[in-house]
Amino acid sequence: MQITHESQENQLILHYVGELDHHEARKAMDYAESLAVLYPVERYVLDLSGLTFMDSSGLAVALNLYRTLQRTGRRMVICGCPPQPLRVFQAAGIPKIIPFEEDVKC
Amino acid sequence: MLTVLNQMSMKLESRSVNEGFARQAVAAFLAQLDPTMDELNDIKTVVSEAVTNAIVHGYRDRLGYINVSVRLLEGRTVEIKVRDQGCGIADVAQARQPMFTTGDDTRSGMGFTIMESFTDRLRVRSSPGHGTLVTLTRTLSARRGAQA
Ligand SMILES: Nc1ncnc2c1ncn2[C@@H]1O[C@H](COP(=O)(O)OP(=O)(O)OP(=O)(O)O)[C@@H](O)[C@H]1O
Ligand SMILES: [Mg+2]
């Protein structure tokens, strides 16, 4: 899996490309957490449009970043989520907690 | 008893790099049933959950073998078994509760909930100290031109 980020005026976009499972979870989580420290912007966007597979490991990545941001009064949205990861998020009830948006540009 | 039309099994070491291999191999085997993209994705997801559990929980602190077997039964029913000889689960009912986890911060306790909602039937048999057998059953939708 590859993760890149893009810093904009008042938001940070994280692009995830590839398969996000337990094998990649620690890397994905540490990456997101270190960015949350480095960039004090108000809004974080998780662009998942490049994800080709995700299992429950991805839930923890998203939820942990969400909680870290919430502690410091910041927001997070998930954008461009493909059908397979979306079904996993839905089975876990995540869309009731974290907002989902279709457009990757947000 | 449903007739077995075809079957395969494989034995993997409990290395996380094998998670991707396991779900891809099962998906490739199921191609003969011409499943829909959604069905294939659901099956890949549940295989990933069960194999990951064997690696991170069953063989928490050691390397071991995981057996993954697939049987194609009449009526387009797919039965997948994932077995480990790891630490086992003391209380299966509790383990199957949403958000119950004994794992670290990369776990959220939703694996069994996902396996349950993406299959028609989830059976978990476990014996502490001996291992765990997870059986996932899903009947695929009828497709014109597909076998059985
Ligand atoms: N093969 C196994 N061997 C031993 N214990 C297991 C096994 N599978 C599951 N468990 C136990 O059941 C619990 C719940 O499993 P489940 O897959 O639902 O959640 P998780 O693995 O903890 O988190 P997630 O799947 O969301 O990453 C685990 O935390 C573990 O205690
Ligand atoms: Mg799990």
Side-chain angles (χ1 to χ4, degrees):
Chain A
M1 194 192 45
Q2 283 185 358
I3 317 166
T4 53
H5 65 276
E6 198 180 320
S7 170
Q8 296 179 345
E9 205 173 320
N10 54 357
Q11 66 176 13
L12 188 85
I13 309 180
L14 281 85
H15 304 282
Y16 291 81
V17 176
E19 305 204 319
L20 175 47
D21 62 7
H22 158 247
H23 185 60
E24 304 279 5
R26 176 57 63 194
K27 182 175 98 184
M29 199 172 281
D30 291 349
Y31 191 96
E33 296 290 325
S34 60
L35 288 179
V37 174
L38 282 173
Y39 295 90
V41 290
E42 206 256 321
R43 186 174 125 114
Y44 276 67
V45 179
L46 254 57
D47 166 21
L48 302 187
S49 62
L51 271 195
T52 50
F53 178 83
M54 187 195 88
D55 65 16
S56 64
S57 310
L59 300 177
V61 173
L63 281 172
N64 283 3
L65 179 62
Y66 175 78
R67 291 193 196 107
T68 300
L69 294 172
Q70 226 193 11
R71 273 198 294 276
T72 45
R74 294 180 287 173
R75 287 183 298 136
M76 170 181 150
V77 297
I78 293 177
C79 283
C81 189
Q84 186 274 333
L86 186 60
R87 266 176 70 71
V88 175
F89 280 119
Q90 284 168 340
I94 306 300
K96 276 178 258 159
I97 305 168
I98 302 172
F100 279 66
E101 286 173 23
E102 299 226 331
D103 190 2
V104 179
K105 305 253 160 28
C106 305
Chain B
M1 279 294 273
L2 294 175
T3 309
V4 180
L5 302 174
N6 195 3
Q7 54 188 316
M8 72 91 144
S9 71
M10 55 189 177
K11 184 175 168 185
L12 309 163
E13 275 193 334
S14 60
R15 301 181 189 276
S16 63
V17 66
N18 289 333
E19 293 157 2
F21 172 75
R23 61 178 179 261
Q24 298 295 351
V26 172
F29 183 68
L30 294 182
Q32 61 195 287
L33 292 179
D34 190 25
T36 65
M37 189 56 85
D38 287 344
E39 287 168 339
L40 208 54
N41 280 336
D42 283 359
I43 288 171
K44 276 193 208 168
T45 308
V46 299
V47 169
S48 199
E49 295 299 339
V51 170
T52 300
N53 277 354
I55 295 172
V56 302
H57 305 300
Y59 298 116
R60 199 182 331 242
D61 38 27
R62 66 187 168 104
L63 203 62
Y65 285 111
I66 301 166
N67 280 89
V68 179
S69 62
V70 184
R71 296 201 303 168
L72 308 185
L73 309 172
E74 62 184 300
R76 296 175 63 74
T77 296
V78 178
E79 182 199 72
I80 301 163
K81 289 181 190 285
V82 177
R83 185 196 306 266
D84 67 65
Q85 274 91 46
C87 66
I89 305 172
D91 184 342
V92 171
Q94 179 189 47
R96 289 179 66 154
Q97 290 296 313
M99 283 154 72
F100 175 86
T101 182
T102 56
D104 64 11
D105 63 337
T106 62
R107 304 291 105 207
S108 51
M110 294 307 294
F112 279 136
T113 303
I114 291 166
M115 287 185 250
E116 220 161 79
S117 58
F118 289 11
T119 58
D120 298 316
R121 183 151 181 253
L122 165 68
R123 249 179 85 213
V124 183
R125 283 176 49 193
S126 191
S127 153
H130 295 280
T132 302
L133 170 64
V134 173
T135 307
L136 303 145
T137 312
R138 165 94 180 238
T139 300
L140 304 182
S141 59
R143 278 206 134 180
R144 220 149 50 96
Q147 149 194 344

